[in-house]
Amino acid sequence: MKMKKLYAMVSCALLCGGQGFAQQPDSVLFGEIGKQVAFSGTLKPGDLSIPNLKVPKGFRALLKGTDRLTVINADGKVFSPLENVDVSLFYQLQRESDQVTMDMQTLKLKVPGQFNDQDKAINPKPFVIPALREWHGATGTFQLKKKSKLVLAEKSPVLQEIANLLQKDLKAMNLSLEISSGKPAAGDILLSLNSSDKGLAEEGYELIIGDYLQIKALHKKGAIWGTRTLLQLLEQDPLNHRIVKGESRDYPKYAVRGLVLDVARKFFTIDFLRDYVKMMSYYKMSEFHIHLNDNGFPIYFKNNWDDVPAAFRLENTTYPTLTAKDGHYTKKEFIALQEMASSYGVDIIPEIDVPAHSLSITRILPEIGSKKYGPDHLDLYNPKTYEIVSNIFKEYLEGPNPVFQGKVVHIGTDEYAKAEAEKFRYFTDYFIKYVQGFGKEARVWGALTHAKGTTPVVSKGVTMNAWYNGYGEPREMKKLGYNQISTPDGWLYIVPAAGYYYDYLNLKNLYRKWEPINIGNVTFQAGDPSIIGGMFAVWNDKSPAKNGITEKDVHDRVFPALQVLSQKMWAGTDSIPFKDFLVKGKGVKEGPGVNVAGYVLGKDSLVLNYTFDQSSLKDQSSYQRAAAVKHNVRFDKGKTGNALVLSAENSLLELPLKEIGYGYTVSFWLKPDPKSVGERILFSSENGVFKSSTKSQKIGFSREGIDYEFNYQLPLNDWTQVVITGNHKGTSLYINGKLQEKMMGKEILYPDTKANMFKVETLVFPLKTLGSKTNGYCGAVDDLKVFNKILSDEEINKGFVNKGAVSK
């Protein structure tokens, strides 16, 4: 296909980059020269390179990057796409006499595709998150068969590892495929690390769906991302075995696509982090940045630093008391997390935040705390500070198998007192070089605009999280030579239940208006290689003050943002209208074997029902889940028919559901024994317990060390219907069809302070056991029903919970 001739008269307005061009005469000169630059050329199918820019004598046009490096790379080489695509070309104009450079305005070039889809019967592009970058539809459907196999095209330990991972994930979807080598048959899945498409780079892959399905890549990450696309496509098929035929060429626009998680001010279990690695891989997110140390705010603790919680979450043997006692990761666990993440294509970015946010260090080593700015600041004038911080980093960096296994280590460096700018710059430079001395790449938070000064800070090989332009002005940081990760607080900071920044991100706005080239109010040009990607962040500022936010609550905020931002960081643009994205996105969850949210899906809303009329304990819902497993229980006359009778200690049922996440209704009848006094556990799981009575005899629940109770006490030796509903806002109690109390969070005032805080009162309802080994409920239970929707007050009042499934 021939293209129209493209002419570009390029105005070289000063944007950013280069050196020595700030003088007005240079700006004017470059502007005039820019008007004389012409881009004249025609791309035809099969062209191997782009035409050169024509520039006046004494100047050169340097191609520095493109926004589709797998179609046109930084050398100007063309790799033919499947469909017509627009590629933005980022050039700098250089004066040959003194090598002074200036950014030019982006040029756009349409690159012809290999196919010209005119046939309306061709399969449309299937939905995945993030969307496929290129697609050519065929006709018909690929289908897995009973004897389908995973076929390895080459003998390779890396390919075998990828096949093993895919096999495990397919098994979690109830699909068992053997791994073999040789020629694929219809219904097989072929994996290869020998693609003929040399433009795919590290993360690109080919997906060719015919009678058998092929995933081809050049590198491990690309092949892994191809398997994630396959799994998403299968997940959306009701039977998990059909995919429309066609061909995709898929690759990211940005190399860094990540999440920052503050595990310091709120501890997250290692199992949670492992689940997040899997979930992030499922959405092709490349980096998981773990913020390992920090502290709370003194305002919630009578401004007494001695009472402010602080935590360092990684085992440390150099300074053993540094290790947090209320939750930490052993070095062995953290190494294993990084190894597991690597197998999923995700890089762990560990952060030790110094010299501010450092109360966990000064608490055990007070001699290096700042007397002037507070103990959360290290004393930058004390030589001991440099010795101790070096020792901390050294423990994780030295040796042939270091604790920090990846190539990148984050050293923090943000929000230090502005008055100490020069010494802060010295400290930052010192520890960048220290980390680099172990062969690592250093990352820092943008702070050098806030800390203006003359003390040099190394920029070569250093990447900056650009989070707030007042601290690190992005254009200035580019001039200094830093690569940047777009992490703008005004767009991408989640601070749960804090009342500032975002509780939930503005997803509609992000989907329509943001991509990593946007940092605050600065927008860089498409293809600018200094912007290497983006990250969103969760900061648990209020958790040390016991604001009630749980892992589940954090996840409820992260997951919808992850779906949107994986799209924006992979492709930079939206794929379909936002409303359609939300609807279709509901068909894609957290990945095989991962269910942090506690989703319980089904054909109707009643997802579990035990009437206890039969001692076999069959689930009476339409799902007919596995029978409950009995431990020291008996049956007696119930509210209707028989009831289950629990006798406190070691008397329980093991239920087939672990828990149910937000948007649920749980209903049951209780007749407590007269001896059922004090704290009595009715339902439990790893994430919480629901109590028929607390120590004060009220109905209540506990999760993550925080106790809650409703203002209601069950009558003993009498039948009462209890209904609990819960969502991301809170938890409600209904008694005999009437609303008793809604716990939807409340403002609390800290004693002897002027600090208000919102306390969250949510519960992901525990269902793993009914009854308990210790402090268990004593009495009868009848007609347990679990719905995966919140019934209305009217539905509960009219007894819908007694009638079975309710339409969605």
Side-chain angles (χ1 to χ4, degrees):
M1 185 187 94
K2 284 197 173 183
M3 295 178 55
K4 292 182 178 178
K5 204 169 187 182
L6 176 64
Y7 294 94
M9 298 304 293
V10 185
S11 173
C12 248
L14 176 59
L15 295 169
C16 53
Q19 54 181 327
F21 51 74
Q23 299 176 11
Q24 183 64 22
D26 267 354
S27 297
V28 174
L29 172 63
F30 273 92
E32 290 301 316
I33 295 297
K35 294 176 182 177
Q36 301 172 45
V37 174
F39 182 46
S40 175
T42 302
L43 277 187
K44 303 180 297 296
D47 279 352
L48 299 179
S49 61
I50 61 173
N52 293 323
L53 289 185
K54 295 178 181 179
V55 297
K57 188 176 180 180
F59 290 84
R60 290 190 297 175
L62 307 175
L63 179 65
K64 307 300 288 187
T66 81
D67 68 347
R68 284 185 186 254
L69 290 168
T70 51
V71 176
I72 299 176
N73 69 13
D75 295 324
K77 187 174 181 180
V78 177
F79 302 93
S80 184
L82 299 178
E83 55 184 326
N84 298 342
V85 296
D86 291 323
V87 180
S88 295
L89 310 177
F90 178 75
Y91 282 91
Q92 286 185 338
L93 190 63
Q94 183 183 71
R95 186 165 52 202
E96 293 177 344
S97 61
D98 55 8
Q99 308 299 299
V100 170
T101 60
M102 181 181 292
D103 292 354
M104 295 171 55
Q105 290 180 348
T106 298
L107 297 173
K108 285 195 174 182
L109 180 63
K110 188 176 287 294
V111 181
Q114 300 172 33
F115 299 98
N116 187 5
D117 293 348
Q118 300 293 334
D119 188 349
K120 294 183 179 179
I122 288 177
N123 289 326
K125 181 163 68 175
F127 179 83
V128 291
I129 303 175
L132 300 173
R133 300 297 302 280
E134 299 174 18
W135 172 259
H136 170 68
T139 57
T141 304
F142 163 83
Q143 187 164 319
L144 288 174
K145 300 179 178 181
K146 288 184 179 180
K147 295 185 178 181
S148 290
K149 295 180 180 180
L150 298 176
V151 180
L152 305 186
E154 309 95 40
K155 287 185 177 181
S156 159
V158 174
L159 200 59
Q160 183 68 51
E161 179 187 352
I162 295 167
N164 292 342
L165 176 63
L166 178 58
Q167 182 185 50
K168 181 180 71 173
D169 289 335
L170 289 169
K171 190 171 183 179
M173 300 172 69
N174 298 314
L175 295 168
S176 296
L177 276 71
E178 292 182 4
I179 299 174
S180 68
S181 58
K183 189 175 181 181
D188 286 346
I189 297 168
L190 178 72
L191 303 176
S192 175
L193 287 173
N194 191 24
S195 173
S196 60
D197 187 342
K198 302 308 178 185
L200 292 175
E202 183 183 6
E203 296 190 272
Y205 66 93
E206 293 179 272
L207 178 65
I208 305 168
I209 310 167
D211 291 336
Y212 61 94
L213 185 146
Q214 302 176 65
I215 295 172
K216 294 183 174 183
L218 296 174
H219 299 280
K220 175 182 173 181
K221 273 196 175 184
I224 292 172
W225 299 152
T227 66
R228 305 303 92 180
T229 295
L230 166 63
L231 292 167
Q232 282 198 21
L233 291 171
L234 290 171
E235 180 187 2
Q236 295 174 80
D237 177 65
L239 298 176
N240 290 357
H241 71 262
R242 294 176 303 182
I243 302 173
V244 296
K245 289 182 178 180
E247 184 175 347
S248 177
R249 190 172 181 270
D250 199 21
Y251 43 83
K253 186 173 183 179
Y254 298 96
V256 173
R257 308 174 301 281
L259 166 67
V260 182
L261 183 63
D262 171 11
V263 304
R265 286 176 283 202
K266 172 174 174 48
F267 180 65
F268 294 80
T269 66
I270 194 70
D271 286 339
F272 183 94
L273 300 188
R274 289 172 63 86
D275 279 343
Y276 257 47
V277 164
K278 295 174 185 177
M279 182 181 71
M280 292 176 69
S281 174
Y282 200 54
Y283 287 90
K284 304 184 181 75
M285 298 287 277
S286 61
E287 293 190 355
F288 190 10
H289 174 155
I290 301 177
H291 182 80
L292 288 165
N293 67 294
D294 218 313
N295 46 263
F297 296 138
I299 188 174
Y300 298 111
F301 303 93
K302 304 179 187 178
N303 288 309
N304 182 354
W305 280 107
D306 291 338
D307 295 332
V308 176
F312 191 98
R313 297 296 183 189
L314 189 56
E315 176 191 8
N316 191 278
T317 51
T318 307
Y319 305 102
T321 54
L322 180 61
T323 308
K325 294 180 175 60
D326 65 336
H328 69 272
Y329 315 113
T330 67
K331 289 188 280 188
K332 184 178 179 180
E333 283 176 330
F334 203 73
I335 290 171
L337 177 70
Q338 293 167 89
E339 291 172 344
M340 175 250 191
S342 177
S343 72
Y344 278 87
V346 177
D347 296 323
I348 300 292
I349 311 298
E351 180 192 355
I352 296 175
D353 197 0
V354 286
H357 303 277
S358 298
L359 182 62
S360 60
I361 301 174
T362 65
R363 177 151 289 161
I364 66 158
L365 299 158
E367 67 269 29
I368 65 169
S370 172
K371 306 299 186 290
K372 185 175 183 180
Y373 301 110
D376 63 334
H377 281 50
L378 299 178
D379 182 353
L380 303 185
Y381 294 89
N382 187 343
K384 195 75 174 175
T385 297
Y386 297 83
E387 176 189 337
I388 289 170
V389 174
S390 295
N391 287 341
I392 291 171
F393 274 107
K394 182 181 179 181
E395 179 168 333
Y396 305 123
L397 294 172
E398 67 177 349
N401 186 35
V403 177
F404 291 167
Q405 297 207 324
K407 65 181 181 180
V408 176
V409 174
H410 204 296
I411 65 169
T413 67
D414 69 323
E415 298 185 302
Y416 199 88
K418 188 173 185 177
E420 302 296 342
E422 296 294 354
K423 203 63 178 176
F424 170 82
R425 294 172 70 92
Y426 172 82
F427 179 95
T428 302
D429 183 69
Y430 183 97
F431 280 103
I432 287 173
K433 291 174 180 174
Y434 187 80
V435 166
Q436 289 177 334
F438 289 90
K440 303 294 186 181
E441 295 177 15
R443 287 226 184 131
V444 297
W445 291 102
L448 297 184
T449 301
H450 175 76
K452 283 187 180 297
T454 57
T455 303
V457 181
V458 65
S459 62
K460 186 177 181 180
V462 180
T463 298
M464 188 174 280
N465 284 92
W467 69 279
Y468 174 55
N469 294 9
Y471 266 74
E473 206 288 322
R475 289 164 296 196
E476 291 180 11
M477 297 306 104
K478 176 183 171 178
K479 292 176 189 177
L480 292 172
Y482 293 99
N483 285 335
Q484 296 180 80
I485 299 168
S486 179
T487 322
D489 59 346
W491 289 87
L492 297 177
Y493 271 23
I494 298 171
V495 187
Y500 54 84
Y501 284 124
Y502 290 99
D503 193 15
Y504 289 79
L505 294 183
N506 186 336
L507 300 183
K508 183 177 181 180
N509 202 39
L510 285 167
Y511 189 79
R512 291 179 172 178
K513 298 180 180 179
W514 181 84
E515 69 168 285
I517 56 172
N518 305 118
I519 305 176
N521 60 356
V522 174
T523 299
F524 287 87
Q525 297 185 77
D528 189 331
S530 70
I531 309 303
I532 64 172
M535 285 192 172
F536 69 116
V538 177
W539 300 108
N540 295 297
D541 292 7
K542 300 294 184 76
S543 288
K546 303 295 184 184
N547 70 339
I549 285 287
T550 66
E551 288 182 344
K552 302 293 189 179
D553 294 314
V554 170
H555 178 71
D556 194 64
R557 289 153 173 78
V558 167
F559 182 69
L562 178 73
Q563 286 194 317
V564 167
L565 291 171
S566 71
Q567 170 63 34
K568 300 298 290 186
M569 294 176 183
W570 181 264
T573 59
D574 54 16
S575 57
I576 56 177
F578 183 62
K579 288 182 179 179
D580 295 340
F581 182 87
L582 290 181
V583 171
K584 291 188 174 184
K586 290 179 180 179
V588 184
K589 297 301 182 186
E590 300 169 18
V594 183
N595 191 7
V596 179
Y599 293 111
V600 180
L601 305 177
K603 294 167 282 189
D604 57 48
S605 61
L606 181 62
V607 294
L608 191 68
N609 180 204
Y610 291 105
T611 63
F612 306 115
D613 290 333
Q614 298 173 327
S615 60
S616 60
L617 292 178
K618 292 182 179 179
D619 172 24
Q620 301 298 312
S621 77
S622 62
Y623 305 100
Q624 298 181 349
R625 301 182 193 277
V629 179
K630 297 176 285 187
H631 296 275
N632 300 320
V633 302
R634 63 185 179 86
F635 297 88
D636 203 344
K637 184 178 180 181
K639 179 65 177 176
T640 59
N642 288 335
L644 175 76
V645 180
L646 301 172
S647 53
E649 308 302 302
N650 291 310
S651 180
L652 55 92
L653 289 184
E654 294 179 41
L655 301 176
L657 292 178
K658 174 184 171 183
E659 60 195 2
I660 187 165
Y662 299 141
Y664 64 80
T665 302
V666 179
S667 170
F668 43 87
W669 288 85
L670 295 180
K671 185 181 180 182
D673 188 277
K675 296 181 292 184
S676 190
V677 295
E679 186 176 51
R680 296 290 172 175
I681 295 171
L682 185 63
F683 293 95
S684 64
S685 74
E686 293 88 344
N687 295 307
V689 297
F690 183 86
K691 304 169 186 177
S692 60
S693 59
T694 61
K695 291 178 181 178
S696 58
Q697 289 300 115
K698 305 290 181 64
I699 289 179
F701 58 91
S702 302
R703 74 288 191 284
E704 294 194 14
I706 302 179
D707 300 324
Y708 300 83
E709 62 180 24
F710 293 99
N711 188 26
Y712 180 79
Q713 180 175 338
L714 282 168
L716 300 178
N717 206 31
D718 198 6
W719 283 106
T720 302
Q721 186 189 40
V722 179
V723 177
I724 304 294
T725 65
N727 61 17
H728 69 283
K729 294 181 179 180
T731 316
S732 298
L733 170 68
Y734 295 79
I735 297 296
N736 295 326
K738 302 291 185 182
L739 176 64
Q740 179 68 32
E741 185 179 356
K742 282 183 178 287
M743 295 171 62
M744 292 287 126
K746 56 180 175 285
E747 288 282 343
I748 58 175
L749 178 66
Y750 279 81
D752 302 320
T753 75
K754 296 181 180 179
N756 283 323
M757 190 175 69
F758 188 80
K759 188 168 185 178
V760 175
E761 299 173 312
T762 54
L763 175 67
V764 167
F765 200 90
L767 289 168
K768 188 173 183 179
T769 61
L770 172 56
S772 179
K773 290 183 178 180
T774 58
N775 293 331
Y777 169 76
C778 183
V781 185
D782 203 358
D783 197 21
L784 169 63
K785 286 188 171 72
V786 179
F787 299 85
N788 64 359
K789 64 170 288 185
I790 293 181
L791 302 186
S792 67
D793 290 7
E794 183 181 11
E795 288 172 325
I796 293 170
N797 180 255
K798 289 184 176 180
F800 278 85
V801 288
N802 300 322
K803 298 177 182 179
V806 179
S807 61
K808 292 190 175 184

